[in-house]
Amino acid sequence: MKTRLILSLMLAVVWAAACGQPGQRGKQAAGNDVPVFLDDSKSIEERVEDVLARMTVEEKVAILHAQSKFSSAGVPRLGIPELWTSDGPHGIRPEVLWDKWSQAGWTSDSCTAFPALTALAASWDPELSKLYGQSIGQEARYRKKDVLLGPGVNICRTPLNGRSFEYMGEDPFLSSTMVVPYVQGVQSNGVAACVKHYALNNQETNRFVTNVKVDERTLYEIYLPAFKAAVQKGGAWAIMGSYNLYNDQWCCQNEYTLNGILKGEWGFDGVVISDWGGAHDTELCVKNGLDLEFGTVTNNPAAASNAYSNYYLADPFLEGVKSGEFDMKALDDKARRVLRLFFRTVMDRNRPYGSFVSPEHIAAARKIGAESIVLLKNDGGVLPLKDEGKILVVGENAVKMMTVGGGSSSLKVKKEYSPLEGIKERFTNAEIVYERGYVGDTDGKFDGVSTGQDLLDNRSSAQLIADAVTAAKDVDCVIFIGGLNKSLFQDAEGEDRKSYDLPYGQDDVIEALCAVAKKMVVVIISGNAVAMPWVDKVPAIVQDWYLGSEAGHSLADVLSGDVNPSGKLPFTIGKQLSDYPASTEAQYPGIPRPEPSKMGVQDVTILDEEYSEGIYVGYRWFDHASIAPEFAFGHGLSYTTFEIGDPKVSGSIEKGLTFSIPVKNTGEVAGSEVVQLYVSAGDSAVERAPKELKGFSKVYLEPGKTATVKITIDKDAISYFDAGKHVWVAEKGDYSALIGTASDVLPKTVEFKY
Ligand code: BGC
């Protein structure tokens, strides 16, 4: 009773404010009715129009820019709450101070860290993507966040990219398929997914000043599809403009990508949010499609006193509207979009309350992690390991917490299980010993969050290797766990890797161990491909990822065979860096311009970068240039074996051509296989990649069982983008569907015509 009374009073106050404010233009609610914008039974569009009509110009501008590091203002007079954003994309970032990156010091913000998005992509399982999105959305909601800054879907163009681990690999079809359920899952909580970084943000080095030049066909075929899928199929409510430039305009204020493609061609009705500090000019932001500006600082010199009012979409915009420089239409369009976001999130009274670090979330993290681990090599059936004898674990990544670091995706976790902990917990009959092997990054701190681990070790490299080798002589199996580690230059925001090689002399450690170990397993934890010069000497190699809270459990699940590995590479692992397409300076990291340019009030040197390899990215390049990779895109072994039978085909390209593909588990243990379908075009008016992934399906099978997997393709699967006519073209002609279990294991070919 009492609560209802209070609610009615609150409503009355809001109502009075909504109707009675002097100096407003627009409508008044009739009689005693609830104002339209507070009426849940009305459509969002009606509510948006109603509230827009009640707002002053100042109020409209106030919702278009940040008021703190991660929040923007609501409309207090009308009872519209603030909007809170948070990184993203692997867990909910710990609270920072209102206007500083330093920690707010909360003790209630230690989250579940989910596996990095590369791992999610490596699961090749859209159902897991949905589980991921739902779970992280619940965590966001519980922490009262309205916009999750993720997922990231920039294409992995170079294995040096510092942020590959936050993205979904090198293939547009794989990333498009995986991003959609993530977005839907997050948004089912009344939390917006903010898909990032739109567009062409394929490197960290010089990320603020790289001007990408890419031909139109490549843009549409390779770099945009995942964003388009997130918007059109996933229904994303927000998108984040990237820091870099495209065709001489920064991507947060880029007429072509924002107004032309995103809002024009794709009909995006959501909010374009700037990357933090990605806006540089009021007029261009206003005219070219930015809706909501966030920043790290502001570039405006007047910012010293009142930073947020001096954002490009704050006072400078307000003054421009008042002076007539900018018209109300532009302001209303942005306000309308932001209000729509309010009604979809913070004003949705029916959204669930969310949950935080629940057993379900931990279980989801563990499952996604285990399903994503890729068994690259397993000669002689070294894996799975038996729980017996003596096992030596070597390597810093076996003990180092990986959830802290990497940049804005850094987290503070409730508990992170390291690989060594996971192995010790699982292999209770075996004797487990540990040696460090090498010392990499002992810092363990990011933005004031510390792992609290003391990883200092003063032994020389030679001594560390000698100690590991001595220990290795006395054991039945050696598991080396290394890779990269999310410290600067080793898979982190802000800087790319400087080398394709493993850092900290790890190759020497592996080589030395190989010489003495009876059985050797190498586990690489990374978000990128690394060189493996020892590949022929190591019988078992596992590609692991930054797996978050349950990292150790997921890895132990796979090493022990409790979970049969079924992950597949979301990118190609080349033998050496020069095998990758972007190999000239003009292609990467770009050529500096002789004259400085203005970025806001700063003088900066822009670098021009030509994506002259065109559509030949990832396996498309390796195929085209006939370069044998170390491990191909889509590769991943299992502890069982599968046989792909002869596909049956029904339907037509116009209505949907369905391939029914029998898959049999021919081995001894249950497991999952990912059936992959690539399309290869015959004669074409344009150059085509030798093959392109256009369908896949993951299937779980008990030993001896067969299932029929169905993959349907349509005109999209055979189309190329005709840049001259600016349309997708499905050419009449001959095509082949290449079907198998990896991009280099495609035993079945089905010819078809269109
Ligand atoms: C990153 C974004 C992130 C934002 C807020 C930027 O530096 O590029 O991905 O969401 O900071 O932390």
Side-chain angles (χ1 to χ4, degrees):
M1 238 353 240
K2 207 169 158 196
T3 341
R4 277 178 65 184
L5 191 69
I6 293 171
L7 273 173
S8 317
L9 279 171
M10 279 167 60
L11 207 63
V13 171
V14 170
W15 180 87
C19 303
Q21 195 68 19
Q24 281 169 217
R25 63 191 190 93
K27 57 173 143 173
Q28 309 274 306
N32 287 328
D33 291 344
V34 172
V36 169
F37 81 93
L38 288 177
D39 184 349
D40 288 344
S41 70
K42 296 282 192 283
S43 73
I44 284 186
E45 295 311 307
E46 285 173 285
R47 297 172 78 188
V48 165
E49 291 312 316
D50 180 61
V51 80
L52 193 67
R54 298 169 193 277
M55 286 167 71
T56 64
V57 172
E58 286 77 7
E59 285 169 338
K60 289 178 188 173
V61 173
I63 61 171
L64 305 183
H65 58 86
Q67 60 166 3
S68 75
K69 283 274 171 265
F70 284 103
S71 72
S72 64
V75 191
R77 179 178 63 85
L78 300 180
I80 295 182
E82 301 165 331
L83 187 84
W84 278 87
T85 70
S86 173
D87 288 298
H90 308 137
I92 309 308
R93 187 174 174 151
E95 298 298 326
V96 296
L97 292 172
W98 185 260
D99 195 22
K100 286 206 169 71
W101 293 109
S102 17
Q103 294 301 300
W106 287 23
T107 50
S108 54
D109 54 353
S110 302
C111 68
T112 306
F114 295 92
L117 292 192
T118 2
L120 178 62
S123 76
W124 291 56
D125 187 344
E127 282 300 315
L128 288 184
S129 182
K130 188 165 169 196
L131 174 67
Y132 193 126
Q134 285 167 338
S135 309
I136 195 172
Q138 285 162 356
E139 297 241 335
R141 180 66 189 101
Y142 189 86
R143 286 270 306 281
K144 300 188 170 53
K145 307 302 179 194
D146 308 303
V147 180
L148 179 74
L149 303 174
V153 285
N154 294 97
I155 289 292
C156 179
R157 174 176 178 252
T158 161
L160 301 184
N161 180 15
R163 286 184 97 173
S164 281
F165 73 98
E166 289 189 64
Y167 304 141
M168 298 192 186
E170 72 185 22
D171 181 72
F173 184 83
L174 176 64
S175 47
S176 300
T177 309
M178 296 302 286
V179 71
V180 170
Y182 181 115
V183 168
Q184 291 169 337
V186 169
Q187 295 190 168
S188 66
N189 292 286
V191 172
C194 179
V195 186
K196 64 193 189 183
H197 306 90
Y198 182 72
L200 298 162
N201 185 184
N202 307 104
Q203 70 194 59
E204 287 302 290
T205 297
N206 307 320
R207 64 176 170 165
F208 300 104
V209 288
T210 296
N211 179 42
V212 175
K213 297 181 171 180
V214 60
D215 69 85
E216 186 91 338
R217 177 178 169 207
T218 302
L219 178 69
Y220 274 77
E221 290 188 17
I222 305 290
Y223 295 100
L224 294 185
F227 290 103
K228 183 180 180 190
V231 167
Q232 291 194 328
K233 294 194 181 145
W237 294 333
I239 202 162
M240 184 188 289
S242 57
Y243 282 136
N244 53 287
L245 303 91
Y246 162 62
N247 276 356
D248 294 337
Q249 272 185 349
W250 271 281
C251 288
C252 290
Q253 46 189 51
N254 192 299
E255 161 64 19
Y256 187 50
T257 55
L258 298 179
N259 284 342
I261 298 173
L262 177 65
K263 293 181 176 177
E265 291 174 23
W266 301 347
F268 177 64
D269 70 356
V271 174
V272 176
I273 298 181
S274 72
D275 199 345
W276 271 228
H280 304 297
D281 179 290
T282 297
E283 186 182 350
L284 293 179
C285 287
V286 170
K287 295 192 171 156
N288 292 354
L290 184 70
D291 302 309
L292 181 49
E293 182 186 357
F294 276 88
T296 42
V297 287
T298 173
N299 301 329
N300 191 321
S305 62
N306 194 359
Y308 300 108
S309 308
N310 286 298
Y311 272 31
Y312 298 101
L313 286 188
D315 286 356
F317 185 23
L318 182 63
E319 282 153 26
V321 173
K322 286 187 170 164
S323 71
E325 185 189 354
F326 305 123
D327 60 17
M328 278 299 282
K329 251 175 78 186
L331 175 60
D332 280 351
D333 176 61
K334 292 180 199 307
R336 195 173 272 124
R337 287 170 181 275
V338 174
L339 289 170
R340 203 174 280 137
L341 183 63
F342 277 117
F343 285 107
R344 287 169 164 167
T345 59
V346 70
M347 290 291 281
D348 175 1
R349 272 187 281 237
N350 298 317
R351 63 181 176 159
Y353 291 106
S355 50
F356 199 52
V357 206
S358 63
E360 288 80 6
H361 293 173
I362 298 295
R366 180 172 184 164
K367 184 173 168 63
I368 296 162
E371 294 282 319
S372 74
I373 292 172
V374 182
L375 181 61
L376 294 176
K377 183 176 176 188
N378 194 21
D379 287 358
V382 168
L383 291 172
L385 291 178
K386 292 214 175 72
D387 185 8
E388 61 186 28
K390 193 168 178 186
I391 299 172
L392 169 68
V393 178
V394 182
E396 186 170 287
N397 283 1
V399 294
K400 183 176 169 58
M401 277 180 70
M402 293 286 191
T403 46
V404 177
S408 57
S409 62
S410 181
L411 296 170
K412 181 165 116 191
V413 277
K414 192 93 176 175
K415 164 80 187 147
E416 176 178 339
Y417 282 93
S418 70
L420 186 61
E421 278 177 290
I423 289 168
K424 281 187 171 163
E425 201 179 281
R426 174 59 181 79
F427 294 89
T428 46
N429 295 321
E431 186 189 345
I432 309 291
V433 284
Y434 175 71
E435 269 297 334
R436 182 68 170 269
Y438 68 94
V439 174
D441 173 51
T442 56
D443 181 48
K445 291 195 183 73
F446 186 82
D447 264 1
V449 175
S450 166
T451 62
Q453 290 186 300
D454 180 5
L455 291 179
L456 287 176
D457 192 322
N458 293 324
R459 282 176 286 174
S460 67
S461 303
Q463 190 61 52
L464 285 158
I465 292 180
D467 291 349
V469 166
T470 306
K473 286 180 181 153
D474 179 38
V475 300
D476 302 295
C477 178
V478 177
I479 311 175
F480 175 85
I481 304 181
L484 309 176
N485 58 18
K486 287 164 81 178
S487 63
L488 205 59
F489 304 111
Q490 306 299 343
D491 277 356
E493 181 175 340
E495 292 288 356
D496 290 343
R497 295 161 67 196
K498 287 183 169 162
S499 159
Y500 186 55
D501 298 333
L502 279 176
Y504 320 123
Q506 292 178 72
D507 289 339
D508 295 341
V509 187
I510 296 172
E511 296 273 358
L513 290 170
C514 281
V516 294
K518 288 197 197 96
K519 267 189 193 175
M520 174 95 180
V521 180
V522 168
V523 177
I524 297 295
I525 298 180
S526 68
N528 261 314
V530 300
M532 300 181 182
W534 29 261
V535 68
D536 294 333
K537 297 182 193 156
V538 179
I541 307 175
V542 173
Q543 176 66 55
D544 196 0
W545 317 99
Y546 305 114
L547 293 187
S549 298
E550 288 289 291
H553 285 150
S554 302
L555 180 61
D557 286 345
V558 166
L559 294 179
S560 64
D562 292 347
V563 171
N564 190 350
S566 62
K568 300 279 181 177
L569 285 178
F571 50 63
T572 308
I573 300 184
K575 291 186 199 294
Q576 57 220 340
L577 186 61
S578 55
D579 288 351
Y580 286 89
S583 52
T584 66
E585 196 191 341
Q587 285 175 298
Y588 174 87
I591 309 275
R593 288 185 188 168
E595 299 298 331
S597 309
K598 280 265 175 266
M599 182 172 86
V601 295
Q602 293 174 48
D603 287 329
V604 293
T605 299
I606 306 273
L607 289 94
D608 288 306
E609 189 164 311
E610 301 269 359
Y611 285 18
S612 50
E613 71 282 1
I615 58 167
Y616 299 115
V617 175
Y619 64 90
R620 289 166 169 78
W621 166 259
F622 282 80
D623 286 350
H624 170 73
S626 301
I627 297 171
E630 198 74 88
F631 294 106
F633 173 81
H635 168 78
L637 304 174
S638 165
Y639 297 149
T640 188
T641 45
F642 296 93
E643 202 177 275
I644 305 284
D646 288 334
K648 289 208 174 67
V649 191
S650 59
S652 64
I653 276 287
E654 286 91 340
K655 295 199 174 129
L657 190 65
T658 299
F659 297 82
S660 302
I661 308 150
V663 196
K664 183 172 184 189
N665 181 345
T666 50
E668 313 270 280
V669 287
S672 298
E673 181 55 289
V674 179
V675 181
Q676 305 168 31
L677 185 152
Y678 296 77
V679 169
S680 173
D683 288 343
S684 172
V686 294
E687 265 193 59
R688 295 279 194 136
K691 63 175 182 283
E692 298 184 289
L693 181 73
K694 294 298 172 183
F696 63 87
S697 177
K698 192 165 187 172
V699 58
Y700 174 85
L701 286 169
E702 294 292 333
K705 295 283 176 210
T706 302
T708 300
V709 159
K710 286 187 192 301
I711 297 176
T712 301
I713 60 169
D714 58 18
K715 272 160 75 172
D716 288 352
I718 58 167
S719 298
Y720 69 88
F721 191 77
D722 182 330
K725 299 202 179 97
H726 201 79
V727 285
W728 288 93
V729 176
E731 283 177 302
K732 295 277 178 195
D734 297 324
Y735 296 88
S736 311
L738 313 174
I739 299 167
T741 54
S743 68
D744 62 345
V745 183
L746 298 166
K748 301 290 170 187
T749 302
V750 181
E751 313 286 348
F752 66 93
K753 279 191 190 308
Y754 170 57

